[in-house]
Amino acid sequence: MTVNQQTLQQGLHLCLNSTDLDWLGTKQEGKVRDSYSLSDGTRLIVTTDRISAFDRSIGTLPFKGQVLNQLAAWWFEQSKDLVPNHFLERVDPAAMKVIECTPLPVEFVMRAYLTGVTSTSVWTHYEKGERIFCGHTLPDGLVHNGPLPKAILTPSTKAEHGGHDQSVSREELLKANVIGAKDFDQVADFAHRLFAFGQAHCAKQGLILVDTKYEFGKTSDGTIVLIDEVHTPDSSRFWFASSYKQRLEAGLAPESFDKEYLRAWLKGQGFIGEGAVPTLPDDVRIEAARRYIQACESIYGQAFIPDLQEPHDRLRKNLSS
């Protein structure tokens, strides 16, 4: 990894926790991203350094916003001929300009392995003895962190800020009139295409794309496009292919560099989404940031160069035009 310990420590004091760019337009604040409707009919998305887990905001990580923004922009460019997306251009290390869209009220989660620690994870349900997950029948005899018979689409409801997402089936979504059958099937096809594309690329890089979350929206003319982010450590789980089989046979957790490290640390503190959020120690924040940067560099094979300017001043300067 190209970013050294000293730079990571410096980054602890350069975290972008919030934005105040109301002069650009109306602000919408998500768990990680702040976005602004612009006068030209587009939208500015600023990826902050906030980190969320178990559907709660738990603090900030050095350079996380820059990593996610850079990686998402790269994936959007790589996959634009496969599935249409909302990306227009990067306008700051942590911000991009996109097409204005109306988000669909469903998250589309693709899974290829029996893993996870959250209440919506396939392993949590399987461990309890459940064999039908989001409409998919799973056979007996599968092992923790082992592969599923095939990649499956497991939709999830979008909870309000502070709430918890719920895994649901296609039939449940249609029955509740959350989304129409035509839109669902179009997005399901997009999700399968993107996941296969991501798995193939990651395999070339010595990585396993275990699972991922996609979000989609509609443009003003009704076109469905990929939005938000794609194949980042926030939305996806990655394992190292070189050690996967050996660790699986030994009953060890696969080596990873995604958000699972933080989820495991939080779970070790007794936190899985309810109650007070534990304070992240600086060493945990630095290690998590190191993993995000390693993911970025491993996925597209280039060095990540962090911007060390004060982030609020940099944003105002870059966005003033």
Side-chain angles (χ1 to χ4, degrees):
M1 190 183 78
T2 56
V3 181
N4 60 34
Q5 185 78 4
Q6 182 179 357
T7 302
L8 288 171
Q9 289 176 333
Q10 184 179 353
L12 290 171
H13 308 289
L14 294 171
C15 286
L16 183 66
N17 185 47
S18 62
T19 63
D20 184 12
L21 304 168
D22 292 346
W23 47 275
L24 288 173
T26 303
K27 176 183 176 180
Q28 291 184 340
E29 184 173 312
K31 294 174 184 174
V32 173
R33 290 169 176 81
D34 292 349
S35 67
Y36 297 83
S37 296
L38 305 183
S39 58
D40 63 357
T42 62
R43 180 169 289 272
L44 176 79
I45 296 180
V46 182
T47 307
T48 72
D49 295 316
R50 298 192 297 264
I51 177 73
S52 68
F54 300 111
D55 298 314
R56 298 282 297 278
S57 180
I58 61 171
T60 58
L61 303 182
F63 310 120
K64 175 177 175 287
Q66 294 183 40
V67 168
L68 293 191
N69 191 58
Q70 183 171 320
L71 191 54
W74 184 85
W75 276 113
F76 280 134
E77 285 288 351
Q78 295 296 309
S79 63
K80 65 183 179 183
D81 293 332
L82 185 69
V83 171
N85 63 63
H86 70 164
F87 176 71
L88 292 173
E89 62 175 325
R90 284 177 64 199
V91 293
D92 178 86
M96 64 173 64
K97 193 175 183 181
V98 302
I99 300 168
E100 183 73 84
C101 296
T102 301
L104 297 180
V106 182
E107 293 181 346
F108 291 82
V109 182
M110 291 294 302
R111 306 176 190 269
Y113 289 80
L114 189 64
T115 192
V117 298
T118 68
S119 61
T120 59
S121 75
V122 62
W123 168 247
T124 298
H125 289 256
Y126 194 87
E127 188 180 27
K128 293 177 180 177
E130 300 176 21
R131 292 297 179 266
I132 297 179
F133 186 71
C134 296
H136 302 279
T137 300
L138 303 176
D140 291 328
L142 299 180
V143 299
H144 188 207
N145 295 323
L148 295 169
K150 63 178 181 179
I152 59 175
L153 174 62
T154 62
S156 174
T157 59
K158 289 184 180 181
E160 295 297 325
H161 196 53
H164 295 290
D165 300 339
Q166 297 293 324
S167 296
V168 290
S169 66
R170 175 185 184 275
E171 289 69 26
E172 289 172 311
L173 289 171
L174 298 187
K175 185 177 180 180
N177 293 316
V178 174
I179 188 173
K182 182 179 178 181
D183 285 351
F184 182 95
D185 293 340
Q186 175 67 82
V187 173
D189 177 60
F190 283 170
H192 279 280
R193 282 198 233 170
L194 285 166
F195 192 61
F197 174 77
Q199 283 187 306
H201 174 80
C202 288
K204 294 176 183 177
Q205 302 297 108
L207 307 173
I208 298 172
L209 177 58
V210 180
D211 50 41
T212 195
K213 169 182 70 74
Y214 301 119
E215 295 197 42
F216 294 86
K218 284 188 176 182
T219 62
S220 58
D221 65 0
T223 301
I224 295 177
V225 299
L226 178 66
I227 64 171
D228 194 52
E229 62 181 332
V230 55
H231 301 157
T232 74
D234 259 16
S235 66
S236 311
R237 195 187 321 264
F238 302 93
W239 292 339
F240 290 100
S242 60
S243 60
Y244 169 70
K245 184 177 180 181
Q246 181 181 8
R247 293 181 69 87
L248 182 69
E249 292 174 348
L252 300 173
E255 285 185 289
S256 68
F257 48 45
D258 47 56
K259 201 160 59 172
E260 196 64 18
Y261 164 75
L262 279 175
R263 291 194 190 100
W265 184 87
L266 290 166
K267 195 173 183 180
Q269 308 302 306
F271 178 80
I272 55 173
E274 304 296 337
V277 178
T279 300
L280 295 178
D282 285 352
D283 62 330
V284 172
R285 294 171 66 201
I286 286 175
E287 174 58 21
R290 186 190 67 78
R291 290 171 181 241
Y292 270 80
I293 293 168
Q294 185 181 17
C296 181
E297 295 182 336
S298 298
I299 288 168
Y300 60 65
Q302 300 175 23
F304 169 75
I305 309 299
D307 189 297
L308 300 177
Q309 299 178 72
E310 199 287 319
H312 295 91
D313 292 342
R314 188 195 69 227
L315 274 168
R316 283 191 290 269
K317 175 184 175 182
N318 288 338
L319 301 177
S320 61
S321 59

